[in-house]
Amino acid sequence: MTPRENFGSRATVIMAMAGSAIGLGNIWRFPFIVGEYGGAAFIMVYIVCCFLLSMPILLSETIIGRRTHQGTFGAMNTLAPGSAWKWLGLLTIFSPLIILSYYSVVGGWSFAYLCKAISFQFKPENAESVTSMFGAFSSSTWAPLACMVIFLGLTALIVYLGVNKGIEKFSKISIPVLFVLIVIIAVYSITLPGAGEGVKYLIKPDFSKLTPGAYASALGQSFFSLSLGVGTMLTYASYVNKNENIIASAGGTAFFDLLFAILAGFAVMPAVFAAGITPSSGPGLVFETLPFIFAKMGAGGQIISVTVSILFFLTILVAALSSSISMMEVGVAYLVEEKKVSRHKATISLFLITLVVGILCSLSFGTLSDIKLFGLTIFNFCDRLASNFLMTVGALLFSVFVGWKMDKAAVKDELTNGGTLKSSSKLFPFVYFLIKYVAPVTIAVIFILGFIG
Ligand code: PHE
């Protein structure tokens, strides 16, 4: 049997994990939620939430993955053989595939919009029609499907190349590139006339907007943004070698994810305000509002705005790809390790499965828009199911597993590399307290409150 691959260094671990974390969540949801819930006041809540609730989950997944060097199912079976915990292993193979199915639809749109930007379709004379262009495009049948196949195909190709030649290489190049791109776009956006209001929207603290909903949104957003509760971080951690300081790499990942989200805020919102538009989130923001802005700013044939629109959609595409590969890797690791299928076959099978669900998600914007599950279209149903339910339940169970099922000595051993890491040893009591009590209790309360209403 070929030896299991490992990430090469601390930097690669952080780049791969940050690659999974940085994605659509940072670009199309974070900037909007920040403004909606009180700017800097929300950012403070978000940071506290990241470090007190999301970090313990990230560490729980990392502990399980690195301890066993196995994917989700194998890891659970090794640490709790013959127990019901194997269902958590199975659940977390299924969840990322659901996310991948609808995420690929959006990945496909990003590819399509990159092509539109390159072919100068966002022109001043088109400005008004640019917004309606998205509705027409997403509800059509073939073009979005073709773009989704390309996106999913690229994802499968990178995953097929393996952990070192595919995922590691791609993340090492894409993460620095993404940071450079988002800084360029932010500088452009902030220097537009009238951008000041957008900057204010992001940084002016308004504590009156910190409603209970703000806390639930901060938690949901930080789980989605850090790819938690669905086994992706666990699987990536299974490729981390035994000498690595996992508190440091988890901290680095959370830091870069947060930094990118804030930069994305400055890339998006000032431009939205400069154009005098009411901010929104989701597809509307990225595929309607921003192309409209690019088109308007292009008045006078400015080459700069065309360039920025190309860079913007390239950023979205690359960020989405670096996340989608982590979703596919979870299932591939399972098939290769547990079912002894070749990486080649595993990748193709998952490509086909997600393609089928992805087609349904894509068509739910047009031909299948009448099909409703619990009152939601197929696309929205998959999104809700994954981000409101599967991620939270998965995250909760991972922290319960590490805090209550695993042996405390084993957890300590893993976090401190057998006691050799002095700083981690000092932090251990605090981190363990977060994993065992703070995270599960708070997440359960927020989850239940969310259900009640
Ligand atoms: N973190 C990714 C984003 O912000 C989404 C994601 C969710 C990736 C779950 C992997 C697993 O877009």
Side-chain angles (χ1 to χ4, degrees), residues 174-452:
S174 66
I175 293 302
V177 168
L178 282 175
F179 272 95
V180 172
L181 290 176
I182 204 78
V183 168
I184 296 177
I185 302 167
V187 169
Y188 167 81
S189 178
I190 292 171
T191 50
L192 289 171
E197 281 306 304
V199 174
K200 257 198 220 147
Y201 178 85
L202 293 170
I203 61 174
K204 199 171 144 248
D206 181 351
F207 290 93
S208 69
K209 288 197 181 152
L210 283 181
T211 54
Y215 295 96
S217 294
L219 185 71
Q221 171 65 15
S222 89
F223 279 0
F224 189 80
S225 194
L226 277 171
S227 318
L228 299 178
V230 290
T232 43
M233 290 305 189
L234 190 160
T235 306
Y236 270 13
S238 74
Y239 304 122
V240 173
N241 67 47
K242 284 287 177 208
N243 310 324
E244 181 51 42
N245 178 340
I246 55 179
I247 297 189
S249 37
T253 304
F255 171 76
F256 283 120
D257 184 50
L258 180 67
L259 182 64
F260 193 88
I262 293 176
L263 287 170
F266 285 105
V268 171
M269 284 306 161
V272 170
F273 278 84
I277 295 172
T278 321
S280 63
S281 78
L285 176 67
V286 172
F287 298 104
E288 291 177 353
T289 311
L290 287 164
F292 172 76
I293 296 167
F294 294 136
K296 277 195 104 176
M297 303 294 172
Q302 285 168 10
I303 192 74
I304 297 182
S305 101
V306 174
T307 314
V308 173
S309 63
I310 294 174
L311 297 183
F312 181 74
F313 287 107
L314 184 65
T315 308
I316 299 189
L317 179 64
V318 174
L321 262 178
S322 69
S323 297
S324 63
I325 53 179
S326 72
M327 301 172 200
M328 192 178 269
E329 180 60 26
V330 179
V332 168
Y334 168 71
L335 291 176
V336 171
E337 281 160 19
E338 303 298 322
K339 300 286 168 210
K340 310 292 172 224
V341 172
S342 68
R343 196 166 180 90
H344 179 77
K345 278 200 190 129
T347 315
I348 294 183
S349 321
L350 293 182
F351 168 80
L352 293 174
I353 294 171
T354 28
L355 184 63
V356 172
V357 187
I359 290 176
L360 298 176
C361 290
S362 180
L363 293 179
S364 75
F365 285 88
T367 330
L368 303 182
S369 61
D370 289 338
I371 297 184
K372 297 273 160 63
L373 303 163
F374 298 96
L376 299 165
T377 61
I378 303 172
F379 181 99
N380 288 337
F381 175 76
C382 289
D383 180 26
R384 288 283 179 84
L385 175 68
S387 44
N388 290 12
F389 185 74
L390 297 173
M391 295 191 109
T392 323
V393 170
L396 182 66
L397 292 176
F398 279 130
S399 66
V400 169
F401 184 81
V402 173
W404 297 88
K405 171 79 188 161
M406 268 180 87
D407 194 21
K408 185 173 175 183
V411 176
K412 184 166 186 184
D413 184 60
E414 208 47 48
L415 278 178
T416 63
N417 292 359
T420 56
L421 300 172
K422 295 287 163 265
S423 54
S424 303
S425 305
K426 269 198 208 130
L427 280 174
F428 178 74
F430 176 63
V431 171
Y432 194 67
F433 180 74
L434 292 182
I435 294 178
K436 192 169 173 112
Y437 301 104
V438 179
V441 172
T442 322
I443 295 167
V445 169
I446 296 182
F447 183 64
I448 293 166
L449 287 182
F451 251 97
I452 299 172

